[in-house]
Amino acid sequence: LLDYEHHLLSIVLSHCHYSLHHGKGQDVTYDYPALEKHLVDRFIHGKPLIQLEIPQVVYRKDVYSAMTFANIRKKVKPQVKLGDREQKDIINELRTTQNLRHCLDDVEIII
């Protein structure tokens, strides 16, 4: 393992200028442009860039906002109430949790 602290300290000290004034103490100045160039050349130049893409997560409650539903209402034609037979068929089809979850996933995709 490399000792980066030791490397950094030696690089910083190499770009540091000391002057000692009698009665005033020590004056330390740094050559920041040269220090930056040295650090880039030593630790960054030639290394591959990391491109991180984090997929955005949408939670179910975020999808069901009032604004989203208002937009959907504007786009959907007036609907006719389902008959008793159709309602029972839908209830029977969605009896299992797996079927209900699959249906909710499809609705989220549509929205």
Side-chain angles (χ1 to χ4, degrees), residues 6 18 24 39 98:
H6 174 71
Y18 297 98
K24 295 183 180 178
L39 289 172
Q98 184 179 5

Side-chain angles (χ1 to χ4, degrees), residues 3 18 24 26 52 61 75 78 82 87 91 96 103-104:
D3 183 12
Y18 297 98
K24 295 183 180 178
Q26 184 176 359
L52 180 63
K61 66 180 180 177
K75 296 177 184 177
L82 293 175
Q87 288 179 13
I91 291 171
T96 66
C103 184
L104 285 174

Side-chain angles (χ1 to χ4, degrees), residues 40 43-53:
V40 167
F43 295 106
I44 299 172
H45 187 71
K47 302 289 192 279
L49 293 176
I50 298 174
Q51 295 182 359
L52 180 63
E53 292 183 26

Side-chain angles (χ1 to χ4, degrees), residues 25-57:
Q26 184 176 359
D27 185 30
V28 181
T29 58
Y30 296 96
D31 185 2
Y32 289 113
L35 176 61
E36 181 181 10
K37 184 180 181 325
H38 193 148
L39 289 172
V40 167
D41 290 343
R42 173 70 176 91
F43 295 106
I44 299 172
H45 187 71
K47 302 289 192 279
L49 293 176
I50 298 174
Q51 295 182 359
L52 180 63
E53 292 183 26
I54 300 174
Q56 185 176 4
V57 178

Side-chain angles (χ1 to χ4, degrees), residues 2-104:
L2 295 174
D3 183 12
Y4 285 108
E5 186 174 337
H6 174 71
H7 287 293
L8 285 174
L9 184 59
S10 65
I11 291 171
V12 169
L13 290 176
S14 70
H15 294 287
C16 178
H17 305 288
Y18 297 98
S19 61
L20 186 59
H21 300 286
H22 181 69
K24 295 183 180 178
Q26 184 176 359
D27 185 30
V28 181
T29 58
Y30 296 96
D31 185 2
Y32 289 113
L35 176 61
E36 181 181 10
K37 184 180 181 325
H38 193 148
L39 289 172
V40 167
D41 290 343
R42 173 70 176 91
F43 295 106
I44 299 172
H45 187 71
K47 302 289 192 279
L49 293 176
I50 298 174
Q51 295 182 359
L52 180 63
E53 292 183 26
I54 300 174
Q56 185 176 4
V57 178
V58 178
Y59 296 98
R60 287 184 187 225
K61 66 180 180 177
D62 294 340
V63 174
Y64 302 125
S65 68
M67 192 171 181
T68 303
F69 280 119
N71 289 335
I72 291 172
R73 278 191 202 100
K74 290 177 188 175
K75 296 177 184 177
V76 174
K77 297 177 184 177
Q79 298 182 15
V80 180
K81 184 176 177 180
L82 293 175
D84 290 337
R85 179 165 166 68
E86 289 88 3
Q87 288 179 13
K88 287 179 185 177
D89 288 344
I90 291 172
I91 291 171
N92 287 333
E93 189 175 329
L94 297 177
R95 284 222 186 265
T96 66
T97 307
Q98 184 179 5
N99 289 346
L100 183 59
R101 179 172 291 260
H102 187 292
C103 184
L104 285 174

